[in-house]
Structures are given as C-alpha cells and as structure tokens.
Amino acid sequence: MRNSTRSGVDPFIVMDVMEAARRAEEAGRHIIHMEVGQPGTGAPKGAVDALAKEMSQGPLGYTVALGLPALRKRIAQLYGDWYNVDLNPERVVVTPGSSGAFLLTFSALFDSGDRVGIGAPGYPSYRQILKALGLVPVDLQTAPENRLQPVPGDFLDKDLQGLMVASPANPTGTMLNHGSMGALIEAAHSQGASFISDEIYHGLEYEAKAVTALELTDECYVINSFSKYFSMTGWRVGWMVVPEDQVRVVERIAQNMFICAPHASQVAALAAMECDDELQANLDVYKANRALMLEGLPKAGFTNIAPPDGAFYVYADVSELTDDSLAFAAEILDEAGVAVTPGLDFDPLRGHTTLRFSYARSSADIEEGLSRLREFMANRGAASSAG
Ligand SMILES: Cc1ncc(COP(=O)(O)O)c(C=O)c1O
C-alpha cells in the first residue's frame, strides 16, 4: 500500500536506546537508565485516590472537548499562584498530553508548507509532527554563548510563520529569562510569525523561576502538561492556553481530532494539583541528583556541559571524545552498563558529537551511574594512551 510522503518521519532514537537497554537487561545485565526522559515516580497518591473514588461513582464518559470545567479553572489558578498572572479559565484547553496540544496548535495556526522555527538542539517530535502535518520545520542552530536557546538573529531572514521555543528545554535544561523571551516574542511578531511556548518542564527549575510567555504577551500559544512536574507521563493529559479569539478554533479541531482528553486522567490531574508536598519531595530528589551530576560528570571527563537551569537533563558536548555519538552511546551501554541518549535525536547536524544524560531516577541510581561512567572513561583513557 502506498504511503504519504508526509509519513516519512524519523524514528525517536532514544526509543532504540531503551530497546537495547531492555535487551541487555533480558540477558541478565544490570543497567542504569540515564536515557529516559520521564520521572521514576508515579502519579501523586492523592491523584490515584481521587480517581479510585470517581471510578466507583460514575461512568467516566466523554467530557466536553475543552476539558472538565473544574480542571480548566484550577489550571488558570496555577498561573496566579506560580507567576502572578490573572488568567481567564476560558482560555485553557485540556489536551491529550502536550503531544496532543502540538497537533492542535500546528493545525490551528498553520497551512501546508508554512515554516516553523525550532531550536536545535530541541525536542525531536516538534520536527517530526510538523513534517507529518505537511509543515516545514526550520532548525535554528543555537549557540553555546546563548545557552543553546534561539535568539532573534537566528531567524530574522528565515521567513517563518511560526516560532516554537521551550524553556526549560529538552535536551539542555537551559531557560529563557524575561529579556530573552521578550526579544523572541517581539522578533516573531514583527515578522507576522505566531509564537508558541512549550512550558512542559515548568516547576522543575533549580536556580531561578521559569518565565511563562503569558507574563509578556497574550498573543501566544502556551503548552504544558501533567507529564513532568506532576509525574503523570502515561496518563496522557496536558493543556494549552490560547488567546480568547482562538478558543473556538481550537475547540472545533479538538472535538474532531480527540473528542476529549481521557476523562479518568483529567480527574486525576485535578487532584494532582493539590499534591504539592509529594511533588516538592520529587523535586528535592532531582535537586540532589542535579548536584551529583554537576560534580560527577566533569570528574568522569564530561566537562563541556550546558548550564542545566531546569528539567532533569544534562547535555554534554563530547566532540573531544567522539564524532559518532550513536556508537559512543552503544559503547557506554555495552561496557559501563549505563544507557544514555546520543544527541542525534535532538540535533541532526551537530548531534553526532553530543550526549544527553537524564537524572530523573533515584539518587542511588545516579550515584551508581556516575561511578560506572568514571570507571569507563578512566579505562578508555588508559586504553587510548596505551594504544
Ligand atoms: C520538551 C518536551 N515537550 C513535550 C514532550 C511530550 O510530553 P507529553 O507527555 O506531555 O506529551 C516532551 C517529552 O519528553 C518534551 O521533552
């Protein structure tokens, strides 16, 4: 059967790494997982309890397309609590994860062939979803001196209809402050491009507070999710905030594409928003892990890393060690028993000399992983100086 040219998207390499790690485990090896981009913890207890109660009481049928009104209202309140932004709940759309929000956003804003700028390195699925929708992803090659985030000079001549940013970003964990986010919004708007802000890692920040685009403008789409801070990846629930005059457009697409986000997950998500103690305890683990990584990775020999302001990743330039990150990651898995992600997923051009390390698991795992990496690198150094 023939396929569309749009369907020729690339695989998600980290999934291949996870599969290689699974095979090693099946063969009896103990693997430390620094490849996965999800919390090791489950949904907060209060969320699970609330759902159990609801399941015994109601049929959990479809919700309205924009999401449970109570959840939309509670999400709007979060903007007051976290950023002092007064948000009309009518502007909140509950989605099947932020992945569902990307589909809605790109469908609502762009026509076939439109060009959307994304930072490289960046979350791989932006590029693939854009391609699958017949849109043109335009990689903006970011610079280390800009913390691997785009700046206006990267796209002023690129004829964009949209600009998508992420702060904190995956794979780097770097953030945009008010000034840098404001400059990007202004530059996008000045060329008639829609501004989209992926804020999925908000809540997971370590030095400064993450900035929402809504502090700076209402003329934007903001995308967020219960997957990361709220520790609910598999529940597939997220949200977006859109300008008032865009709500009906998004609603019509959501009705037809998804009918609604999973009802059960919306119930759990609403309760998760009252589970701050448990979520802050998860954050404390990431904080400790981040400190271990910032000390341990350079000691192991991974010295060239982006400043990880948030999320749970460290992105390392390993160009002095290899020009084949895929083979290097395979070697690390094979010899050290540590699964890491080659940068190629995030940056097709420069990712052959970068690796992403995730520190979303337990601190004991991170300590063990770092000690294995140290030994692996010491042996590698000894072997190359002997050879
Ligand atoms: C930057 C970024 N955006 C979006 C997603 C997708 O998340 P969701 O589970 O909400 O679909 C991820 C997942 O890792 C991510 O890293």
Side-chain angles (χ1 to χ4, degrees):
M1 202 179 284
R2 74 178 286 281
N3 285 115
S4 65
T5 43
R6 286 183 292 108
S7 64
V9 302
D10 299 329
F12 205 167
I13 295 172
V14 68
M15 297 293 179
D16 295 343
V17 176
M18 283 163 81
E19 174 56 18
R22 191 199 59 76
R23 279 200 305 270
E25 279 167 338
E26 205 173 62
R29 289 198 65 195
H30 179 260
I31 303 298
I32 296 290
H33 291 273
M34 289 191 171
E35 85 284 27
V36 281
Q38 68 173 336
T41 48
K45 185 171 176 317
V48 176
D49 290 349
L51 177 57
K53 189 161 162 239
E54 186 76 20
M55 279 171 61
S56 68
Q57 287 172 3
L60 291 174
Y62 297 135
T63 69
V64 291
L66 294 175
L68 290 173
L71 180 57
R72 294 170 70 204
K73 200 162 158 222
R74 183 62 186 83
I75 290 169
Q77 188 193 319
L78 180 90
Y79 285 85
D81 297 345
W82 281 14
Y83 317 100
N84 211 14
V85 165
D86 184 17
L87 182 67
N88 176 359
E90 299 288 319
R91 293 176 56 196
V92 177
V93 183
V94 180
T95 59
S98 67
S99 303
F102 298 145
L103 285 172
L104 291 172
T105 298
F106 299 157
S107 305
L109 294 176
F110 306 120
D111 283 313
S112 301
D114 276 357
R115 296 162 57 80
V116 181
I118 51 177
Y123 178 56
S125 301
Y126 302 149
R127 183 179 308 110
Q128 311 305 343
I129 297 173
L130 287 165
K131 280 204 265 183
L133 292 176
L135 303 167
V136 182
V138 179
D139 277 349
L140 310 176
Q141 293 297 320
T142 61
E145 59 272 25
N146 299 324
R147 308 164 77 81
L148 297 177
Q149 288 279 359
V151 294
D154 295 332
F155 60 90
L156 286 177
D157 57 350
K158 297 259 192 296
D159 184 26
L160 301 182
Q161 283 71 52
L163 174 70
M164 170 116 192
V165 302
S167 166
N170 177 7
T172 60
T174 65
M175 298 199 315
L176 296 165
N177 60 23
H178 286 95
S180 48
M181 172 95 81
L184 289 169
I185 292 172
E186 199 181 309
H189 286 170
S190 74
Q191 47 182 290
S194 304
F195 187 79
I196 308 161
S197 180
D198 180 351
E199 303 184 353
I200 184 171
Y201 291 103
H202 278 219
L204 303 179
E205 59 241 4
Y206 306 104
E207 309 272 337
K209 182 98 197 69
V211 174
T212 174
L214 294 169
E215 288 172 59
L216 300 156
T217 182
D218 283 325
E219 273 304 294
C220 64
Y221 273 42
V222 163
I223 294 174
N224 207 323
S225 172
F226 287 91
S227 288
K228 308 293 172 164
Y229 174 72
F230 295 98
S231 193
M232 293 176 63
T233 45
W235 296 72
R236 310 312 304 133
V237 58
W239 75 87
M240 55 207 276
V241 179
V242 302
E244 255 157 41
D245 60 358
Q246 297 274 325
V247 175
R248 182 65 185 145
V249 181
V250 173
E251 182 179 29
R252 288 197 309 257
I253 303 170
Q255 288 167 340
N256 286 286
M257 272 193 181
F258 306 119
I259 301 185
C260 64
H263 188 158
S265 303
Q266 296 190 55
V267 170
L270 178 58
M273 298 188 84
E274 308 309 329
C275 297
D276 238 22
D277 288 350
E278 189 176 334
L279 298 171
Q280 286 298 316
N282 292 347
L283 184 62
D284 288 343
V285 173
Y286 302 142
K287 260 187 209 155
N289 291 354
R290 174 176 177 268
L292 288 168
M293 295 291 268
L294 288 180
E295 195 197 331
L297 282 177
K299 274 195 188 149
F302 299 101
T303 47
N304 198 352
I305 59 183
D309 305 316
F312 33 54
Y313 308 115
V314 176
Y315 196 56
D317 178 340
V318 290
S319 52
E320 286 181 358
L321 303 166
T322 186
D323 57 8
D324 185 350
S325 59
L326 210 56
F328 193 40
E331 191 187 330
I332 296 175
L333 178 63
D334 203 38
E335 289 177 25
V338 179
V340 300
T341 309
L344 280 172
D345 254 348
F346 313 103
D347 187 340
L349 214 61
R350 297 176 298 180
H352 47 272
T353 55
T354 55
L355 291 179
R356 186 193 74 176
F357 300 88
S358 164
Y359 53 88
R361 307 296 276 246
S362 71
S363 298
D365 269 16
I366 300 302
E367 280 181 50
E368 172 64 20
L370 286 168
S371 130
R372 290 184 189 186
L373 286 172
R374 211 161 32 240
E375 196 184 327
F376 162 80
M377 293 287 277
N379 291 340
R380 197 170 186 265
S384 69
S385 52

